[in-house]
Amino acid sequence: EVTVNSVVARWSLPADAAAASPSGRPILVRLERADGKKRLPAEVREHAGAEGLLAGVARFHFLLPKTTYKVSLEAKALDYGSSSTDSNVVCLAQKEVTTSSLGQGMPQSFGWRIDRGVWKTYVGPEHELGEWLAESPEECVWAFQPAPDMMRALWLNACFTLPSPRSPITTCPNPSSRYCLDLTKSDRWLRGKKVRRHKADFALTVNRDFAATFLRCRDLHDERGDGCWITEELVQALDTCRREPGELKVYSVELWEKSSGRLAAAAMSLSVGDIFHDYTMAAFLRDGRSPGAILSKVLGHILVGCGYKLWYWGFKNRYMAEYDEGYGGMTMDSRQEFWPRWKSARASGASACDLAARVPPGTTLDLASL
């Protein structure tokens, strides 16, 4: 299976043929440029096939387009050391494949304008997304006019989508280091001075009007010249996910000033299992009470009560430093730490945690009661 930037090699061979080789096991699948310029690390993905067969699959991603690669099925010698060399492997089969020149469904007139190296981080409907995203050579991947199903697949694989109103390319942050809060390590969410003094001024709702709140966030970003990725298509796709049952849950968390009824702050969020992720926050009221900070602290308190264990914030920014001590703030390596944790959250089931069960739509939580 070959795409513009990936090769998936599925193999099978008689078990006795592998045993008769000088190695027996393990079986390696190796990919290298046919011109010999680059050899990728061998992949070992072995499992039992039908009776009398060994079978497996190896996946190689972030490749160059329109490039010929040589796929080799090898058996490694029994006396191998810590690394494979040509002297201790036996080649069982070999095949040349050439990656595509364009992503699936992309017009040639557009695709040909994309630099060859940029294709490495392209993701599209032809890919089965998964943990391999953590191997990305860049901090973002990108998609071409992703359909709602593709956007949902990206969200489920810890890549949020940042479309552009002026481009068909959607950027998807995929940090190699992800800033998170360990919600099992703090009980001080309501102890801050401003929270204690001013929380009674506010009330909180969840999903009172998801689309309208998201669009208010967009308007505020536009007013402040921050640049805006909140498109009508993104709002609609997330709102559709919010209304559908499943492992991906979508929320708007609204903080209201009780005396005026004005929207003071909002957090647009999603969750998978026991991991909560907010993809944008906005403070519509800015005064000495710091409504945006109050929303963050109160939300942290509520998340703990809902059973969430990890709060994913994305790339670390300077303002997050205050959460390093006392709130479980930490930077997680995407490949070694974050992705195993994300997989565990997905495996926990669709009903693991639900913010809307704590503050059901149509109800209001008076923060004076906390």
Side-chain angles (χ1 to χ4, degrees):
E1 301 170 21
V2 181
T3 74
V4 68
N5 61 359
S6 66
V7 171
V8 178
R10 302 182 188 277
W11 58 269
S12 65
L13 72 164
D16 56 355
S21 74
S23 64
R25 291 192 184 201
I27 302 297
L28 308 178
V29 181
R30 189 182 304 280
L31 188 81
E32 58 185 306
R33 291 263 295 268
D35 58 14
K37 289 185 177 179
K38 186 172 183 179
R39 171 180 280 198
L40 279 72
E43 288 282 321
V44 183
R45 295 289 187 272
E46 185 177 311
H47 61 79
E51 185 175 353
L53 288 177
L54 289 177
V57 58
R59 295 176 172 84
F60 300 89
H61 294 276
F62 309 113
L63 307 179
L64 288 169
K66 209 172 181 179
T67 301
T68 300
Y69 291 90
K70 184 165 58 178
V71 185
S72 302
L73 183 65
E74 302 173 346
K76 197 171 182 182
L78 288 172
D79 60 349
Y80 61 85
S82 60
S83 61
S84 294
T85 65
D86 292 338
S87 63
N88 62 16
V89 297
V90 174
C91 184
L92 304 176
Q94 197 170 81
K95 182 179 181 178
E96 285 193 353
V97 295
T98 301
T99 49
S100 309
S101 57
L102 295 170
Q104 182 176 308
M106 186 177 295
Q108 288 188 347
S109 58
F110 182 83
W112 286 348
R113 293 157 50 193
I114 297 174
D115 183 79
R116 191 162 175 259
V118 174
W119 279 109
K120 286 186 175 183
T121 53
Y122 161 78
V123 291
E126 61 268 47
H127 295 107
E128 182 181 345
L129 303 185
E131 192 171 358
W132 58 266
L133 287 164
E135 306 285 345
S136 174
E138 304 291 342
E139 297 293 301
C140 293
V141 295
W142 63 277
F144 177 78
Q145 293 180 331
D149 285 349
M150 182 65 195
M151 286 193 281
R152 184 177 184 276
L154 284 160
W155 303 332
L156 280 171
N157 285 277
C159 290
F160 194 67
T161 50
L162 304 177
S164 169
R166 296 175 294 278
S167 170
I169 288 180
T170 291
T171 301
C172 311
N174 182 34
S176 57
S177 294
R178 299 176 185 249
Y179 190 71
C180 302
L181 304 185
D182 184 343
L183 294 174
T184 68
K185 293 186 176 180
S186 178
D187 60 356
R188 56 179 294 182
W189 291 103
L190 302 182
R191 295 183 183 179
K193 290 182 179 179
K194 288 190 176 182
V195 176
R196 287 187 284 109
R197 289 175 181 172
H198 303 298
K199 64 183 175 67
D201 295 348
F202 301 98
L204 184 141
T205 59
V206 174
N207 290 336
R208 172 175 287 188
D209 191 337
F210 178 89
T213 300
F214 206 177
L215 292 174
R216 285 282 304 273
C217 294
R218 178 196 65 184
D219 294 343
L220 184 65
H221 292 329
D222 282 342
E223 289 170 12
R224 294 177 178 167
D226 296 333
C228 199
W229 42 267
I230 303 172
T231 63
E232 296 283 350
E233 293 78 12
L234 178 63
V235 173
Q236 183 177 355
L238 280 163
D239 201 20
T240 298
C241 277
R242 180 184 65 84
R243 289 182 272 107
E244 293 176 345
E247 63 179 312
L248 182 72
K249 296 179 172 61
V250 179
Y251 309 104
S252 61
V253 186
E254 304 99 359
L255 187 73
W256 303 90
E257 184 181 47
K258 293 192 297 187
S259 62
S260 66
R262 292 183 297 175
L263 183 61
M268 309 306 297
S269 317
L270 57 84
S271 72
V272 174
D274 61 1
I275 297 180
F276 193 84
H277 171 42
D278 58 272
Y279 43 87
T280 195
M281 297 188 75
F284 304 101
L285 294 182
R286 294 199 168 190
D287 57 34
R289 298 171 297 179
S290 301
I294 289 177
L295 175 57
S296 293
K297 304 292 175 58
V298 168
L299 180 55
H301 171 77
I302 295 172
L303 293 179
V304 171
C306 290
Y308 288 99
K309 300 295 192 298
L310 195 71
W311 190 355
Y312 168 44
W313 283 18
F315 292 102
K316 185 175 183 180
N317 295 318
R318 283 182 295 177
Y319 81 88
M320 299 176 184
E322 69 169 292
Y323 293 89
D324 289 346
E325 294 185 14
Y327 294 97
M330 59 182 177
T331 299
M332 300 180 73
D333 178 82
S334 186
R335 177 177 151 190
Q336 300 295 332
E337 300 172 294
F338 181 82
W339 252 101
R341 184 66 185 78
W342 185 269
K343 284 175 61 179
S344 175
R346 291 194 64 179
S348 67
S351 61
C353 302
D354 187 2
L355 177 63
R358 174 65 177 86
V359 188
T363 68
T364 299
L365 175 64
D366 188 337
L367 300 193
S369 65
L370 298 180

